[in-house]
Amino acid sequence: MDIHCRPQNNSFPTYDKITGPYSTKPYLQHFRPIKCFPTKSPVIMSLLVVSLPMVVIVTVRYGADLLAFCRQLFNQAVKLTRGHPTVSIDKTHAFVFSNCTHGQVDSVLETFHLYSDSHPSLCIGQEKGEFLDEVMSNAAPRLVLELGMHCGYSSVRILRLLGPAGRLLAVEQDPETADKGEEIILVAGFKHPQFQVLTCPSAVAIAGLQAHMGDAQGLDLILMDHDVEQYLPDLLALEKWGVLSPGCVLLVNGIFCTEARPFLEHIQARPLCYTQRRQLQGLMELTWNRASDVC
């Protein structure tokens, strides 16, 4: 989920671009003749000759990455010019359901990406999604807990990399959102034995997790992508109920939000219990070191 933090104060001091904030002189007094560099300057021509091959090399070697980066900047600029429109779960679900090829996981994910290119969305997005894929592949979890399933984007990414014996417990507090997310998971081709949706607050779900864990000894991977203010209370509850398996991987989204500071302070104060590994755009990977006597 890319929308986590509370809106900040966006007020800025006014500034007259012509006269400045303090000047009272007429703006014409501030104009000065501009002396341009001669277009045929030997220095400039030499720089152009030297830099041109570098531009060609960079374009050829990193052209695709530069194009993707520019496209991302353009999409963000479009969203900013529209202000901060409300995220619509209904519209996200309707677009993905109507435009994807049912039964094909890649088509479902690509349709999510297509929608989020031009609309606000709660899904973590393609870059973070690929980061999630890498963590899933390295951890090879058997039981995964997802806190905040939204429209099912992360759920689909998790399920497609789970082994035959793997299972996903997806928690979503809002009943309507949970229904729509579950439908997208089914549209992607997954069946109920592979996942279970718990429609309740995260605190309630964690307190009753042991009834849904089957023969699993604990959670192997947890994705936190719900209310940032609940991150620390939910982590403390997970510790309290003893449902974290040794070496459990935690992926925590929106970690740089102000509301996530208590969570970070808790982690940093217990270096023997938690190991901070990698971070991508506010999505942080942690490991629970249950073997430590301190934890």
Side-chain angles (χ1 to χ4, degrees):
M1 178 174 71
D2 293 330
I3 301 176
H4 285 84
C5 306
R6 294 175 176 174
Q8 303 295 322
N9 184 2
N10 292 326
S11 61
F12 295 92
T14 57
Y15 183 90
D16 190 318
K17 294 183 179 180
I18 299 178
T19 64
Y22 306 112
S23 174
T24 58
K25 298 180 180 179
Y27 70 88
L28 289 176
Q29 296 180 11
H30 291 267
F31 286 130
R32 296 289 184 272
I34 299 175
K35 184 178 181 180
C36 299
F37 288 101
T39 56
K40 295 184 179 180
S41 169
V43 176
I44 294 180
M45 295 301 295
S46 300
L47 290 175
L48 288 175
V49 171
V50 173
S51 62
L52 186 59
M54 294 299 297
V55 172
V56 174
I57 294 173
V58 170
T59 303
V60 172
R61 184 170 182 179
Y62 302 104
D65 294 335
L66 288 172
L67 181 62
F69 177 71
C70 292
R71 184 176 175 223
Q72 184 180 11
L73 287 179
F74 174 77
N75 291 331
Q76 291 297 326
V78 169
K79 293 178 182 179
L80 287 174
T81 57
R82 295 175 179 173
H84 298 280
T86 304
V87 175
S88 174
I89 298 294
D90 291 339
K91 290 181 180 179
T92 306
H93 169 270
F95 184 90
V96 175
F97 187 88
S98 302
N99 293 281
C100 74
T101 302
H102 289 207
Q104 295 187 12
V105 178
D106 290 340
S107 175
V108 172
L109 296 177
E110 290 170 3
T111 308
F112 266 112
H113 301 156
L114 183 62
Y115 180 84
S116 61
D117 278 346
S118 56
H119 298 80
S121 173
L122 293 177
C123 73
I124 61 175
Q126 186 170 2
E127 290 186 69
K128 291 183 180 181
E130 292 173 354
F131 184 78
L132 170 60
D133 291 349
E134 185 177 346
V135 173
M136 282 287 300
S137 299
N138 293 336
R142 181 180 178 187
L143 184 60
V144 179
L145 174 66
E146 180 187 14
L147 299 175
M149 70 176 294
H150 312 301
C151 276
Y153 175 84
S154 298
S155 307
V156 170
R157 295 203 82 114
I158 291 170
L159 283 165
R160 73 172 185 159
L161 293 176
L162 274 179
R167 202 157 61 93
L168 169 67
L169 298 176
V171 179
E172 176 56 53
Q173 180 173 347
D174 180 65
E176 183 178 353
T177 301
D179 289 343
K180 294 185 182 301
E182 183 174 9
E183 186 171 30
I184 292 298
I185 294 173
L186 294 171
V187 163
F190 300 105
K191 307 300 181 183
H192 278 112
Q194 298 170 281
F195 72 97
Q196 182 177 359
V197 177
L198 305 178
T199 308
C200 59
S202 55
V204 176
I206 293 171
L209 270 181
Q210 293 178 341
H212 304 285
M213 291 173 57
D215 58 351
Q217 299 301 312
L219 298 169
D220 303 309
L221 189 146
I222 300 169
L223 173 61
M224 288 187 171
D225 191 22
H226 56 315
D227 181 2
V228 180
E229 292 183 345
Q230 283 297 121
Y231 283 5
L232 180 55
D234 287 345
L235 180 61
L236 294 175
L238 290 166
E239 294 177 4
K240 171 186 174 182
W241 290 103
V243 292
L244 301 175
S245 64
C248 177
V249 177
L250 289 88
L251 275 175
V252 187
N253 197 23
I255 201 65
F256 295 137
C257 292
T258 304
E259 295 87 347
R261 185 173 299 171
F263 177 91
L264 276 177
E265 291 175 350
H266 176 76
I267 295 297
Q268 293 167 354
R270 307 178 71 194
L272 296 179
C273 301
Y274 293 97
T275 301
Q276 299 183 41
R277 299 200 176 277
R278 297 175 298 167
Q279 183 274 136
L280 174 69
Q281 299 177 8
L283 180 62
M284 179 176 287
E285 177 187 2
L286 307 164
T287 301
W288 163 253
N289 305 318
R290 191 173 182 176
S292 172
D293 295 335
V294 180
C295 303

